[in-house]
Amino acid sequence: MSGIVSFKCPNCDGDLRFSPKDQKYTCEWCGSVFDQAFFDQMSEETASNATEEEPAPQAENASEAGEENQGGKIYSCPSCGAEVVTDETTAATFCYYCHNPVVLSGRLSGKLLPDFVIPFQIPKEEAVDHFIKFTKKKWFIPRNFFDAKQVGNLTGVYFPYWLGEGDFDGTAQAEAQKIRKWVSGDYEYTEVKTFHVEREGEIKLKNWLGIALSKTNQILAEGVQPYDFKAMKPFSYGYLTGFQAEKRDIEREPMEERARTDLRSASDSMLKDSMKGYSSVTKFNSSYIKEDVDLKYVLLPIWTMTYPGK
């Protein structure tokens, strides 16, 4: 499936948007509300009839060619026919002219189709309220940091992540000490007992997250954790309507090694933490006979706001 998808209300042909408040799809024109089951059935036909991607027009001069070579893509809005210009990783956005939400389905299809998504749970109004309450408690923040015009720029964006699980089977050895001190008469005594400690076991870990978008600040993108993964659902294009979304540009292979390193470190910590009852644990060493890592491609919701730089 390729091109632009715009999901229409079957009652009035208005654009449908996903509502975080009730987790349903609403039409802002006639007020119709649809649940996920009805939307999935309705969207199968809509998606199959999605408009094909239009090739970007040939640049007429060198400057235009330079802009196209920077990763810009041009589509036609299915609602008003206007050009929708996006960068290479945009997967859902709005038409700049009619403001209707559009999903660039070709960006999230085939091997780029997400496995899961956590739909937005908090409406924009509630997100703005949380933001204002948070910032007003801080000292020395300029008032224009949270004025009405600036806060109105708050945008819901789905960011791409790799979600990992690990299954590790290994052993660990360490040198541990028990230290006891006491005073008798004019003397202070110290008793040191040294032990060789071993642990072994199978450790299962889950919910490792790694941002899958290279242009995003990794610290900020991963600082929004933890997520409630009980809210995770199989991916549906409908959850993107009314929001922006980015597709991944970091593939599975480079992330697998990072996930394995992080999950192995977490396994080491769990084995070391099991060595309790000692004053100190040193010379820790571990080895694993199984280090299985499984990654899933997921989209996670983040309310974002940008400020002009100097």
PDB file of all heavy atoms in Angstrom, residues 31 39 96 138 143 168 233 264 282 292:
ATOM      1  N   GLY A  31     -20.321  14.941  13.966  1.00  0.00           N
ATOM      2  CA  GLY A  31     -20.299  14.442  15.334  1.00  0.00           C
ATOM      3  C   GLY A  31     -20.410  12.932  15.455  1.00  0.00           C
ATOM      4  O   GLY A  31     -20.549  12.404  16.567  1.00  0.00           O
ATOM      5  N   PHE A  39     -14.128   0.929  12.672  1.00  0.00           N
ATOM      6  CA  PHE A  39     -13.128   1.668  11.895  1.00  0.00           C
ATOM      7  C   PHE A  39     -12.250   0.711  11.096  1.00  0.00           C
ATOM      8  O   PHE A  39     -11.943   0.969   9.936  1.00  0.00           O
ATOM      9  CB  PHE A  39     -12.256   2.520  12.817  1.00  0.00           C
ATOM     10  CG  PHE A  39     -11.194   3.292  12.087  1.00  0.00           C
ATOM     11  CD1 PHE A  39     -11.458   4.532  11.553  1.00  0.00           C
ATOM     12  CD2 PHE A  39      -9.921   2.760  11.928  1.00  0.00           C
ATOM     13  CE1 PHE A  39     -10.488   5.241  10.862  1.00  0.00           C
ATOM     14  CE2 PHE A  39      -8.945   3.451  11.239  1.00  0.00           C
ATOM     15  CZ  PHE A  39      -9.231   4.697  10.708  1.00  0.00           C
ATOM     16  N   TYR A  96      -1.439  21.712   4.771  1.00  0.00           N
ATOM     17  CA  TYR A  96      -1.227  23.095   5.194  1.00  0.00           C
ATOM     18  C   TYR A  96      -2.366  24.022   4.769  1.00  0.00           C
ATOM     19  O   TYR A  96      -2.499  25.122   5.298  1.00  0.00           O
ATOM     20  CB  TYR A  96       0.097  23.618   4.610  1.00  0.00           C
ATOM     21  CG  TYR A  96       1.296  22.826   5.069  1.00  0.00           C
ATOM     22  CD1 TYR A  96       1.957  21.977   4.191  1.00  0.00           C
ATOM     23  CD2 TYR A  96       1.756  22.908   6.377  1.00  0.00           C
ATOM     24  CE1 TYR A  96       3.049  21.233   4.596  1.00  0.00           C
ATOM     25  CE2 TYR A  96       2.845  22.172   6.796  1.00  0.00           C
ATOM     26  CZ  TYR A  96       3.489  21.339   5.905  1.00  0.00           C
ATOM     27  OH  TYR A  96       4.568  20.600   6.313  1.00  0.00           O
ATOM     28  N   LYS A 138       8.171  26.533  38.273  1.00  0.00           N
ATOM     29  CA  LYS A 138       9.612  26.726  38.133  1.00  0.00           C
ATOM     30  C   LYS A 138       9.967  28.208  38.242  1.00  0.00           C
ATOM     31  O   LYS A 138       9.231  29.068  37.774  1.00  0.00           O
ATOM     32  CB  LYS A 138      10.092  26.170  36.793  1.00  0.00           C
ATOM     33  CG  LYS A 138       9.734  24.706  36.562  1.00  0.00           C
ATOM     34  CD  LYS A 138      10.367  23.804  37.587  1.00  0.00           C
ATOM     35  CE  LYS A 138       9.989  22.354  37.357  1.00  0.00           C
ATOM     36  NZ  LYS A 138      10.588  21.451  38.366  1.00  0.00           N
ATOM     37  N   ARG A 143       7.872  34.502  30.941  1.00  0.00           N
ATOM     38  CA  ARG A 143       6.438  34.315  30.772  1.00  0.00           C
ATOM     39  C   ARG A 143       6.092  33.857  29.359  1.00  0.00           C
ATOM     40  O   ARG A 143       5.147  33.088  29.160  1.00  0.00           O
ATOM     41  CB  ARG A 143       5.693  35.611  31.100  1.00  0.00           C
ATOM     42  CG  ARG A 143       5.812  36.028  32.561  1.00  0.00           C
ATOM     43  CD  ARG A 143       4.893  37.221  32.845  1.00  0.00           C
ATOM     44  NE  ARG A 143       3.488  36.874  32.651  1.00  0.00           N
ATOM     45  CZ  ARG A 143       2.734  36.306  33.583  1.00  0.00           C
ATOM     46  NH1 ARG A 143       3.244  36.028  34.766  1.00  0.00           N
ATOM     47  NH2 ARG A 143       1.461  36.033  33.344  1.00  0.00           N
ATOM     48  N   PHE A 168      18.223 -14.515  28.772  1.00  0.00           N
ATOM     49  CA  PHE A 168      19.631 -14.767  29.050  1.00  0.00           C
ATOM     50  C   PHE A 168      19.777 -15.950  30.007  1.00  0.00           C
ATOM     51  O   PHE A 168      19.029 -16.060  30.984  1.00  0.00           O
ATOM     52  CB  PHE A 168      20.287 -13.526  29.664  1.00  0.00           C
ATOM     53  CG  PHE A 168      20.452 -12.392  28.689  1.00  0.00           C
ATOM     54  CD1 PHE A 168      19.365 -11.625  28.300  1.00  0.00           C
ATOM     55  CD2 PHE A 168      21.688 -12.103  28.159  1.00  0.00           C
ATOM     56  CE1 PHE A 168      19.508 -10.589  27.399  1.00  0.00           C
ATOM     57  CE2 PHE A 168      21.857 -11.065  27.250  1.00  0.00           C
ATOM     58  CZ  PHE A 168      20.759 -10.301  26.870  1.00  0.00           C
ATOM     59  N   LYS A 233      -1.308  -1.654  21.545  1.00  0.00           N
ATOM     60  CA  LYS A 233      -2.263  -2.338  20.681  1.00  0.00           C
ATOM     61  C   LYS A 233      -1.603  -2.674  19.349  1.00  0.00           C
ATOM     62  O   LYS A 233      -0.626  -2.033  18.954  1.00  0.00           O
ATOM     63  CB  LYS A 233      -3.486  -1.456  20.433  1.00  0.00           C
ATOM     64  CG  LYS A 233      -4.243  -1.048  21.701  1.00  0.00           C
ATOM     65  CD  LYS A 233      -5.422  -0.162  21.383  1.00  0.00           C
ATOM     66  CE  LYS A 233      -6.135   0.292  22.643  1.00  0.00           C
ATOM     67  NZ  LYS A 233      -6.707  -0.847  23.395  1.00  0.00           N
ATOM     68  N   ARG A 264      22.241  -7.340  28.655  1.00  0.00           N
ATOM     69  CA  ARG A 264      23.273  -8.113  29.345  1.00  0.00           C
ATOM     70  C   ARG A 264      23.728  -7.397  30.610  1.00  0.00           C
ATOM     71  O   ARG A 264      23.941  -8.023  31.658  1.00  0.00           O
ATOM     72  CB  ARG A 264      24.469  -8.349  28.421  1.00  0.00           C
ATOM     73  CG  ARG A 264      25.527  -9.290  29.019  1.00  0.00           C
ATOM     74  CD  ARG A 264      26.805  -9.300  28.209  1.00  0.00           C
ATOM     75  NE  ARG A 264      26.577  -9.715  26.841  1.00  0.00           N
ATOM     76  CZ  ARG A 264      26.815  -8.956  25.792  1.00  0.00           C
ATOM     77  NH1 ARG A 264      27.257  -7.708  25.961  1.00  0.00           N
ATOM     78  NH2 ARG A 264      26.608  -9.412  24.576  1.00  0.00           N
ATOM     79  N   THR A 282      33.281  -7.964  44.962  1.00  0.00           N
ATOM     80  CA  THR A 282      34.269  -7.475  44.004  1.00  0.00           C
ATOM     81  C   THR A 282      34.630  -8.584  43.018  1.00  0.00           C
ATOM     82  O   THR A 282      34.213  -9.733  43.173  1.00  0.00           O
ATOM     83  CB  THR A 282      35.538  -6.990  44.719  1.00  0.00           C
ATOM     84  OG1 THR A 282      36.092  -8.072  45.486  1.00  0.00           O
ATOM     85  CG2 THR A 282      35.221  -5.834  45.657  1.00  0.00           C
ATOM     86  N   ASP A 292      19.490 -14.361  23.817  1.00  0.00           N
ATOM     87  CA  ASP A 292      18.478 -14.150  22.782  1.00  0.00           C
ATOM     88  C   ASP A 292      17.810 -12.792  22.974  1.00  0.00           C
ATOM     89  O   ASP A 292      17.344 -12.460  24.072  1.00  0.00           O
ATOM     90  CB  ASP A 292      17.422 -15.248  22.832  1.00  0.00           C
ATOM     91  CG  ASP A 292      17.996 -16.611  22.468  1.00  0.00           C
ATOM     92  OD1 ASP A 292      19.053 -16.637  21.808  1.00  0.00           O
ATOM     93  OD2 ASP A 292      17.404 -17.632  22.852  1.00  0.00           O
TER      94      ASP A 292
END
